[in-house]
């Protein structure tokens, strides 16, 4: 296609940068990114389209150099049915899916491990910059892990917690990993035992998965999919859950907090510093040093330092400090294109390589911090917890330095901001409910589910996919669920999308078309907590904080003595991007939650794998996957599933 024609196509698609008309930053800002940088996510996407169907269907294999091999028979009657080695579509699709899940579980695992290592250093007094902020959480984690707390000091307890967590990665005793025992729903553990997929450590299965999926090994799609489920368990209990719980110990368990969201949180008269990534060890220190150096900003003529959050670190600093939420993952470049972002500090995961190039078009300093995440065009300030204060100070100083070079003629700010209330940890929800029933805090929520006031619960998690952003997929799906009295829990970049649309704004509870019954519950609980209402959707944190949803689900299922799969609860990744989201979805499947995805997982090419995920799984963990590319139809399908679950429990449907 001629470049003019491509650009025309882009203009149409660029539209409002994946936001609804009411919430989008000015059209000028959206145009500015193309004018200044010559690129944007929508433009890059349209140059990739149409996607290669072999990849989309999961039937492209690059596991060896006889290939790449592509299996045409998945789509065409007389097409090629095997790779050079004889691998079929079923084998290739299953192997590819397991490798995707490994990518996610490894990411979350390393995240958790780094925090556990830090907790150990804190407990042994080896570092100064961090401390145990939440004793209550420390004791609750210890007791779930079976660690004695009586007559012991906090550092000794913390040392045991850290060592148990780290040992889970590589212990050789053959016993289930400790975090599984402490945090997984008991009915799920029984099922996993029967299937032989309870991990006894988390690194060996990752090695095993890479081994068995390499050329000339496991060709049995059922066997490979069992390894996939096991990888989901590892993601949940060596990744997500310890990441959340240990972060809470070090930085505090979130409570509901008020703030604002959208690109408009970047302010003209402040030094603007964005925190992007996932590592709270970095984010927390930057928050601290932005406070310490605030006066320095004033000396430069600014009103102070304005911290803003991007993607999951954005969710965490919102939850713990009320830092405004600037942008989801794909809007990070738009934040830079305002010309007023002085620095963006990043650590690991979901940091697009293009940010180096985009920042270079402005005075903005992109600052990488992890030895294993460097980006051309970025300044690198190596961050390690032993020297965290020096690094964080340098990072903030770089923002101050860059501010001096800001060119006001290139600044274009958006005025749109949306009030939000975020920070609904599992504990804060229990605390809120305990104001209604002190002895049995979960009871008011369970009663609402039983009566149908809360028809069901959907945890909506994951990413902003430019493929589906164009049609505002998430917003439409959430609206449809709310209309039907479904309680919506959000995390990750979906939380940013929700914030920008107003779903996290309690004031908007009358503005959206929310089912009367759900609205009454939101208002009652809100008033109990001292707000006008709860927001239409509850912000439960970053992607690792899906573990908070997991804790709620475990608590409800055990309280009712039901299996997770019997509950009217569903998980959805409506704009799936990352391997991490695949791993989270696999974890949800492992505990028994139905999982909706859009786009479809890369499985279309294999009837066997599709069958396992959409059907066989019902007999294994009680879960199933489904894909629906129309957001309203997806919500309807969830409502139908909830209805079926309600009926089989004898609840009013
Ligand atoms: O871990 S939601 S785009 S930022 S993967 Fe990434 Fe997806 Fe955002 Fe957080 Ni989660
Ligand atoms: Fe092809 Fe088999 Fe090699 Fe894959 S492992 S690239 S299917 S020959």
């Amino acid at each position: 296609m001629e470049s003019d024609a491509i650009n025309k196509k882009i203009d149409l698609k660029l539209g409002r940068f994946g936001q609804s008309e009411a919430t989008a930053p000015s059209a000028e800002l959206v145009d500015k990114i193309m004018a200044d940088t010559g690129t944007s996510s929508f433009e890059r996407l349209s140059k990739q389209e149409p996607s290669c169907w072999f990849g989309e269907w999961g039937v492209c294999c690059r596991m060896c150099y006889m290939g790449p091999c592509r299996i045409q028979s998945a789509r065409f009657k007389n097409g090629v049915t095997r790779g050079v080695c004889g691998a079929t579509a079923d084998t290739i699709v299953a192997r590819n899916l397991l490798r995707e899940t490994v990518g996610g579980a490894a990411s979350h695992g390393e995240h958790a491990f780094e925090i556990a290592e830090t907790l150990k250093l804190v407990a042994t007094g080896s570092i100064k910059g961090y401390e145990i902020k939440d004793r209550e959480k420390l004791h609750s984690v210890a007791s779930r892990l079976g660690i004695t707390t009586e007559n012991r000091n906090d550092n000794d307890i913390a040392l045991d917690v850290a060592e148990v967590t780290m040992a889970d990665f590589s212990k050789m005793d053959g016993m289930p990993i400790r975090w599984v025992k402490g945090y997984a729903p008991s009915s799920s553990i029984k099922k996993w035992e029967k299937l032989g997929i309870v991990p006894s450590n988390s690194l060996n299965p990752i090695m095993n998965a890479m081994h068995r999926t390499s050329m000339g090994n496991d060709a049995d799609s059922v066997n490979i999919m069992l390894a996939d489920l096991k990888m989901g368990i590892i993601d949940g209990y060596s990744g997500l859950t310890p990441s959340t719980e240990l972060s809470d110990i070090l930085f505090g368990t979130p409570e509901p907090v008020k703030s604002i969201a959208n690109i408009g949180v970047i302010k003209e008269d402040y030094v603007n510093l964005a925190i992007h990534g996932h590592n709270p060890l970095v984010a927390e220190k930057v928050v601290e040093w932005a406070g310490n150096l605030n006066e320095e900003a004033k000396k430069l003529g600014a009103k102070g330092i304005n911290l803003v959050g991007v993607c999951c670190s954005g969710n965490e600093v919102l939850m713990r400090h009320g830092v405004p939420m600037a942008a989801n993952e794909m809007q990070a470049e738009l934040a830079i294109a305002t010309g007023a972002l002085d620095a963006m500090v990043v650590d690991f995961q979901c940091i697009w390589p293009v940010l180096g190039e985009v920042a270079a078009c402005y005075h903005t300093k992109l600052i990488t911090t992890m030895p294993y995440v460097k980006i051309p065009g970025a300044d690198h300030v190596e961050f390690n917890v032993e020297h965290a204060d020096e690094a964080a100070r340098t990072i903030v100083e770089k923002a101050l330095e860059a501010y001096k070079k800001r060119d006001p003629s290139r600044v274009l700010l958006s005025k749109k901001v949306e009030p939000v209330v975020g920070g609904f940890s599992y504990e804060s929800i229990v605390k809120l409910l305990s104001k209604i029933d002190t002895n049995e805090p979960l009871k008011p929520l369970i009663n609402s589910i039983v009566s149908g006031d809360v028809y069901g619960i959907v945890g909506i998690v994951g990413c902003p996919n430019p493929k589906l952003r164009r049609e505002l997929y998430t917003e439409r799906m959430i609206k449809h669920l709310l209309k039907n009295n479904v309680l919506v829990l959000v995390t990750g970049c979906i939380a940013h999308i929700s914030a920008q649309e107003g779903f996290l704004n309690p004031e908007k509870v009358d503005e959206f078309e929310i089912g009367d019954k759900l609205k009454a519950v939101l208002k009652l609980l809100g008033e109990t907590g001292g707000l006008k209402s709860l927001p239409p959707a509850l912000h439960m944190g970053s992607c690792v904080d899906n573990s908070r949803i997991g804790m709620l689900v475990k608590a409800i299922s055990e309280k009712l003595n039901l299996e997770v799969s019997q509950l009217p609860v569903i998980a959805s990744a409506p704009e799936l991007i990352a391997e991490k989201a695949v791993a989270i979805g696999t974890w949800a499947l492992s505990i028994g939650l139905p999982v909706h995805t859009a786009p479809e997982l890369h499985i279309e090419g294999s009837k066997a794998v599709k069958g396992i995920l959409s059907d066989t799984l019902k007999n294994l963990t009680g879960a199933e996957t489904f894909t629906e590319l129309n957001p309203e139809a997806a919500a309807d399908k969830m409502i139908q599933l909830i209805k079926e679950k309600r009926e089989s429990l004898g609840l009013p449907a």
Side-chain angles (χ1 to χ4, degrees):
M1 203 187 299
E2 292 299 312
S3 66
D4 268 5
I6 290 179
N7 286 335
K8 245 193 209 131
K9 192 171 154 206
I10 296 159
D11 270 356
L12 289 174
K13 289 184 170 174
L14 189 62
R16 302 174 298 261
F17 223 85
Q19 288 177 284
S20 63
E21 195 117 31
T23 61
S26 66
E28 292 83 2
L29 179 57
V30 172
D31 289 341
K32 185 174 187 284
I33 190 167
M34 282 303 289
D36 289 356
T37 71
T39 188
S40 88
S41 50
F42 289 99
E43 170 264 340
R44 294 187 296 275
L45 171 63
S46 65
K47 286 178 178 161
Q48 289 293 335
E49 285 181 322
S51 299
C52 164
W53 77 265
F54 292 105
E56 235 170 27
W57 287 32
V59 289
C60 169
C61 181
R62 291 195 306 120
M63 298 324 181
C64 87
Y65 281 75
M66 291 186 283
C69 298
R70 297 172 302 172
I71 309 302
Q72 300 162 344
S73 63
R75 193 161 178 175
F76 303 109
K77 235 186 179 173
N78 297 318
V80 171
T81 57
R82 294 175 183 283
V84 178
C85 68
T88 61
D90 292 339
T91 301
I92 292 172
V93 168
R95 289 196 305 210
N96 285 340
L97 185 65
L98 176 53
R99 285 199 170 194
E100 285 183 10
T101 315
V102 165
S107 305
H108 291 139
E110 185 150 36
H111 179 154
F113 196 85
E114 288 192 12
I115 296 172
E117 274 181 317
T118 305
L119 182 64
K120 181 173 176 176
L121 294 172
V122 170
T124 52
S126 315
I127 49 169
K128 288 219 161 49
Y130 300 88
E131 59 183 0
I132 294 166
K133 282 229 175 78
D134 191 339
R135 291 195 66 222
E136 212 176 302
K137 184 52 103 52
L138 172 67
H139 285 245
S140 119
V141 173
S143 78
R144 282 184 188 247
L145 296 180
I147 293 165
T148 317
T149 52
E150 235 169 88
N151 301 324
R152 300 184 72 200
N153 74 42
D154 286 350
N155 281 339
D156 291 346
I157 300 170
L159 181 59
D160 279 0
V161 166
E163 285 187 335
V164 163
T165 308
M166 289 159 75
D168 266 358
F169 284 80
S170 54
K171 68 187 182 58
M172 290 293 171
D173 61 5
M175 301 298 287
I177 58 175
R178 295 274 285 271
W179 280 79
V180 158
K181 276 174 81 183
Y183 283 86
S186 40
S187 59
S188 306
I189 299 179
K190 281 191 199 123
K191 297 193 168 189
W192 302 339
E193 279 166 352
K194 274 199 200 135
L195 293 168
I197 56 170
V198 185
S200 57
N201 72 43
S202 36
L203 289 182
N204 277 32
I206 288 176
M207 179 163 69
N208 170 264
M210 294 306 284
H211 175 191
R212 74 197 294 163
T213 53
S214 63
M215 191 267 283
N217 285 297
D218 204 347
D220 178 342
S221 54
V222 175
N223 206 34
I224 297 169
M225 291 305 290
L226 283 171
D228 192 49
L229 268 188
K230 185 172 186 172
M231 201 51 60
I233 300 170
I234 288 170
D235 189 63
Y237 303 105
S238 258
L240 310 178
T241 311
S243 294
T244 296
E245 293 288 85
L246 303 191
S247 297
D248 282 355
I249 292 173
L250 289 172
F251 307 116
T253 304
E255 292 281 329
V257 61
K258 290 184 185 173
S259 190
I260 48 175
N262 213 336
I263 294 285
V265 304
I266 297 169
K267 296 189 210 157
E268 188 161 21
D269 34 16
Y270 283 77
V271 174
N272 292 300
L273 169 55
I275 302 176
H276 178 7
H278 291 78
N279 188 349
L281 300 169
V282 175
E284 287 286 326
K285 273 289 154 192
V286 172
V287 171
E288 189 183 325
W289 275 93
N292 293 347
L293 297 179
N294 197 45
E295 290 306 309
E296 299 302 312
K298 291 184 182 164
K299 286 183 199 156
L300 300 177
K303 288 188 177 159
I305 297 175
N306 180 39
L307 284 178
V308 300
V310 179
C311 86
C312 279
S313 279
N315 284 315
E316 295 207 13
V317 291
L318 164 86
M319 302 250 285
R320 297 201 176 92
H321 302 282
V323 170
M325 306 165 80
N328 62 41
E329 180 209 42
M330 62 167 271
Q331 294 168 322
E333 60 198 67
L334 191 65
I336 296 174
T338 59
L341 193 66
D342 301 301
M344 176 180 276
V345 56
V346 301
D347 42 69
F348 49 58
Q349 300 169 15
C350 300
I351 299 142
W352 289 4
V354 79
L355 294 181
E357 260 174 72
V358 174
C361 295
Y362 302 91
H363 73 296
T364 312
K365 280 280 170 214
L366 179 71
I367 305 164
T368 52
T369 52
M370 296 288 116
Y372 53 90
V373 183
K374 294 190 179 179
I375 298 175
D379 281 11
H380 188 74
V381 177
E382 188 105 345
F383 192 97
N384 57 57
V385 290
E386 284 87 358
H387 303 106
D389 285 290
E390 285 122 278
R393 182 185 187 118
T394 307
I395 289 161
V396 178
E397 282 171 351
K398 278 184 180 283
L400 293 167
E401 212 36 52
Y403 170 78
K404 294 188 213 161
K405 299 195 187 111
R406 192 194 293 173
D407 177 355
S409 71
R410 299 193 68 212
V411 170
L412 183 62
L413 290 168
S414 158
K415 295 228 166 12
K416 300 228 173 88
V417 294
E418 184 69 26
V420 302
V421 172
F424 291 93
S425 57
Y426 165 70
E427 289 79 1
S428 75
I429 292 173
V430 171
K431 207 181 199 182
L432 178 63
L433 293 169
S434 72
K435 291 186 180 162
I436 301 174
D437 189 329
T438 330
N439 296 327
E440 292 187 79
L442 285 177
K443 227 177 163 188
L445 177 60
I446 289 172
N447 288 346
S448 306
I449 296 172
V450 168
S451 70
D453 288 353
V454 170
Y455 193 61
I457 301 177
V458 180
I460 306 180
V461 313
C463 326
N465 191 326
K467 289 180 180 171
L468 294 151
R469 271 303 58 221
R470 296 185 289 221
E471 53 187 283
L472 307 174
Y473 189 100
T474 294
E475 294 89 324
R476 286 167 54 195
M477 192 183 90
I478 290 180
K479 282 181 185 161
H480 205 72
L481 291 170
L482 291 175
K483 221 188 272 180
N484 288 282
N485 297 300
V486 174
L487 179 64
V488 170
L489 312 175
V490 294
T491 57
C493 286
I494 296 299
H496 284 272
I497 294 171
S498 301
Q500 292 168 10
E501 186 63 16
F503 296 140
L504 307 187
N505 182 357
E507 297 297 323
K508 291 227 163 133
V509 77
D510 290 314
E511 205 165 289
F512 294 111
E513 209 183 311
I514 299 178
D516 288 341
K517 293 177 180 172
L518 175 68
K519 200 195 279 185
V521 172
L522 294 174
K523 285 190 173 178
L524 173 72
L525 288 175
E527 282 159 19
T528 309
L531 296 164
K532 170 183 170 174
S533 165
L534 288 186
L538 299 188
H539 175 289
M540 292 190 75
S542 60
C543 284
V544 294
D545 291 338
N546 284 313
S547 62
R548 302 189 195 278
I549 301 179
M551 286 166 74
L552 185 64
V553 166
K554 170 181 164 74
I556 296 175
S557 79
E558 288 175 3
K559 175 89 191 153
L560 294 174
N561 215 1
L562 291 172
E563 290 177 7
V564 170
S565 59
Q566 292 178 284
L567 302 176
V569 180
I570 291 172
S572 166
E575 299 190 29
L576 174 73
I577 302 181
E579 289 175 333
K580 291 182 293 166
V582 174
I584 292 167
T586 310
W587 162 63
L589 291 173
S590 77
I591 62 172
L593 291 175
V595 173
H596 157 252
T597 74
E600 185 172 31
L601 292 167
H602 296 146
I603 58 171
E604 182 64 26
S606 164
K607 280 202 183 77
V609 172
K610 274 190 89 159
I612 291 166
L613 287 173
S614 61
D615 197 28
T616 316
L617 209 50
K618 291 181 196 163
N619 301 321
L620 304 181
T621 69
E624 64 192 282
T625 60
F626 61 96
T627 295
E628 175 49 69
L629 295 179
N630 173 289
E632 286 81 17
D636 279 335
K637 168 82 183 156
M638 291 177 212
I639 292 160
Q640 177 60 28
L641 266 175
I642 289 173
K643 183 167 181 259
E644 287 164 18
K645 287 176 191 278
R646 293 186 66 89
E647 277 169 354
S648 52
L649 288 171
L651 302 178

